[in-house]
Amino acid sequence: MAGAEDFLSTPLQFLKGVGPRRAADLRRAGLVTVEDLLYRFPFRYEDRAHFASIASLSLGQEARSIVGEIVDANVRWTRRKGFKVFEALVRDSSGCVRACWPNQVYLGDKLKRGRHVVLYGKLEFRRPGGLQLSNPDYELLGEDDEADEVGRLHTGRIVPVYEKIGSVWPKFQRSLVHRALERLPADLDDPLPAELLAKLDLPARGEAFEQVHFPPESASLDLLQTFRTPAQKRLIFEEFFLFQIGLLLRKRDADAERKPFVPVTNQRIRESAKRVLPFKPTKAQREALGQIVADMKKPHAMNRLLQGDVGSGKTIVALLAAIVAMENILLFAFMAPTEILAEQHFLNIQRLFAASHFRVELLTGTTAGTARRELLRDLAAGRVHLVVGTHALVQQGVEFRRLGLVVIDEQHRFGVIQRATLRAKGLHPDVLVMTATPIPRTLALTVHGDLDVSVIRELPPGRQPITTTARPESRRDETCEFLRKEIEAGRQAYVIYPLIEESAKIDLKAATEMADHLAHDVFPSFRVALLHGRMKQDAKDRVMRAFAHGKIDIIVSTTVVEVGIDVPNATVMIVEHAERFGLSQLHQLRGRVGRGRHASYCILLHQSPLSEDARGRLQAMVETTDGFVIAERDLQIRGPGDFVGTRQSGMPTLRVGDLARDHTLMEDARREAEALLARGPAERLVALVRGTWATRFGLADVG
Ligand code: ADP
Ligand code: MG
């Protein structure tokens, strides 16, 4: 056994053909050992057992592999100044084809007359040159190959194609992997238990390595290209499984820590909650609350994620939980991602608890001077029941007495770090993380895999559906007419402009000009106001308050209204340059309307032509208002890294798995990991995961 593992940890530079230069290039790409090499999947496969004949190539086909002899090669000057094309004429028994590589004159050193070459590409019609394989991938055969490997490795079979790493060409990597596989010990250790493999019908590790890199003749090219062969699934599953075991262990460790205060519930507390409740909670809200309160009564701290679409009513659930804490003489802290939101929550919460004996306070970065000193003193002395704030709440110098429950709103912007900070301060309160951007289940299992999850998948009753349309800017006039009708009917509207850091000045100017234009030229009789992030806090508040009281008809704004604002009479959301917004941002913006009894509209004005991604985003918006569906689409379009943001958000570094592509495998891995840990001690596996988890998944810096 030890021998086998030793082989996997052999540095790649000890393999034949890997000199210092290649070793360095490989290292930069994260490939240091044989194990790293074997866990690097080919990015595609070519069927070189069945080459296409040159005569069979035709326009409009997918890329094909052909093989032939170079019968002519030269550099051609074009009419464009300094622009040269390298072209080769390649012949097989059926005919000839021209292959062209623009601006790659140096290929003349390699693609010489008489050499045999594999080309992979599409036949196209291009000027200059006419019908050609344009910029195909190429691989030379013969000469530098070891004679015995030629037939076996590079042609006559389904071959793996790797991404080039510096000086390490795909073909060299293929030989390298082959050499490594030849020396792979038969008794290779397998981190996955044999019963599990049998149950899931997956091959053992050594076999999987073989088949991923050198698929048997019978393998399906379609399955290979989509990473769905048993061998590929097996290695992806292994990665996910080890990851989930680690998450579950972390959760188990957290559960083993007793929290200092365990609240109770009783009739008096239930009455207290009822008095505060302004409406009848939905079934989904009651269920979520039930799960939260059950957690609070457990001896270890709660770590729960509450997911619910915009407007699904998460806040009241959090506040009912807060009552349980406060009635147990425990402090409740509510953390919002921005000052504006913290202030809004503070005002709402203050109103809600106005008739109660609970003392509600606000602590943000702008709380200063005596007010701040006094508040800090009262927090430390336990004289406050509920504190709303920003990340300022977990900053240095803030001490709490009997901190019982912390709610972190909008997990996407922060959460993981805040939880770690609380722990670092020696605090172990119950923590509820809330997000209005639904996270696809797979990602929730990954990024929040050590959290329990509650979901509110139901909106409060009486909500009107929102009609969403995407329109090119040429339909602006029609859009303005529609807006006019709505305002004349007594409704209100948002017009949103993108504002990004890099072009903030220009963006702000555009929003300002549009506000002027709408106010003076288009709707002189309507009340139009501008709202943007550079305005002073009290100016912003004035605008928002006036809008909420119906004293403003149209708010022209940069994205500061993205979350939180709640004005039921607003029924129109117009987004300018919708193509510049991310999908979840658009969804958040749309959530500002459709909150009252009137039908609502979201109009996405965009420039044309649209990029493919932008088109996908707008289409998703038009097709569905379900935040969970939107989230899945967003994940497909953006990929998981972008979706959750920084590494600190808890995204693991993955070698073979892809969260967007392999989500069902992650779910399987979760289920099997839970089952395995529930069954028994699994000491060897647990030791393996404990020893390597953080570094393996690049999560060392997140507690
Ligand atoms: P979010 O989940 O986006 O934070 P909020 O908590 O802000 O949603 O709730 C959105 C709106 O719906 C608020 O005006 C809130 O008062 C209202 N609301 C929440 N729950 C209910 C309910 N059960 N019945 C009626 N209105 C509700
Ligand atoms: Mg909210």
Side-chain angles (χ1 to χ4, degrees), residues 140-310:
L140 283 170
L141 299 178
E143 254 175 40
D144 53 350
D145 300 331
E146 286 164 50
D148 62 334
E149 283 185 357
V150 177
R152 252 178 333 130
L153 276 195
H154 305 299
T155 62
R157 63 177 310 143
I158 297 177
V159 298
V161 182
Y162 304 91
E163 225 147 336
K164 181 171 178 282
I165 308 173
S167 60
V168 181
W169 286 73
K171 186 173 166 188
F172 178 81
Q173 197 177 336
R174 188 181 305 134
S175 305
L176 194 63
V177 170
H178 186 257
R179 245 169 271 148
L181 286 173
E182 273 182 338
R183 289 175 50 194
L184 200 64
D187 63 348
L188 188 69
D189 200 8
D190 196 327
L192 298 182
E195 317 84 70
L196 188 54
L197 293 180
K199 178 181 165 194
L200 300 175
D201 204 10
L202 294 173
R205 183 155 70 149
E207 195 184 332
F209 283 144
E210 289 277 354
Q211 296 184 359
V212 157
H213 295 284
F214 294 97
E217 214 171 310
S218 59
S220 144
L221 204 61
D222 280 347
L223 289 183
L224 281 168
Q225 308 286 28
T226 48
F227 298 85
R228 280 291 159 275
T229 65
Q232 291 163 319
K233 276 163 61 178
R234 134 85 218 206
L235 293 179
I236 296 167
F237 177 85
E238 172 190 317
E239 178 165 56
F240 289 173
F241 181 77
L242 296 179
F243 179 67
Q244 288 296 345
I245 293 274
L247 277 182
L248 291 169
L249 289 175
R250 196 157 83 166
K251 182 160 156 36
R252 191 192 262 185
D253 294 346
D255 287 357
E257 276 174 28
R258 306 284 116 170
K259 62 189 174 197
F261 322 105
V262 180
V264 296
T265 51
N266 54 36
Q267 195 52 30
R268 180 180 60 81
I269 295 176
R270 278 186 283 275
E271 299 286 324
S272 168
K274 262 199 201 120
R275 273 197 301 279
V276 168
L277 201 60
F279 36 61
K280 192 169 169 299
T282 62
K283 181 159 167 283
Q285 284 172 317
R286 280 202 308 276
E287 279 170 9
L289 181 64
Q291 290 167 340
I292 293 164
V293 174
D295 278 2
M296 291 171 72
K297 287 155 71 174
K298 287 179 186 160
H300 57 265
M302 165 169 75
N303 275 302
R304 184 170 284 276
L305 174 71
L306 177 59
Q307 283 203 73
D309 214 338
V310 237

Side-chain angles (χ1 to χ4, degrees), residues 308-316 334 341 345 409-410 434-436 563-564 588 592 595:
D309 214 338
V310 237
S312 61
K314 295 180 294 294
T315 315
I316 198 69
F334 190 111
L341 284 174
H345 277 303
D409 203 10
E410 300 308 330
M434 305 204 296
T435 177
V563 263
Q588 294 285 337
R592 297 306 107 213
R595 303 172 81 87

Side-chain angles (χ1 to χ4, degrees), residues 374-404:
E374 280 173 9
L375 180 51
L376 292 189
R377 198 190 52 213
D378 288 353
L379 282 170
R383 282 195 287 269
V384 176
H385 300 99
L386 192 162
V387 62
V388 182
T390 54
H391 60 277
L393 281 176
V394 286
Q395 267 164 6
Q396 271 197 336
V398 185
E399 278 172 42
F400 305 108
R401 197 174 128 74
R402 292 176 66 83
L403 179 63

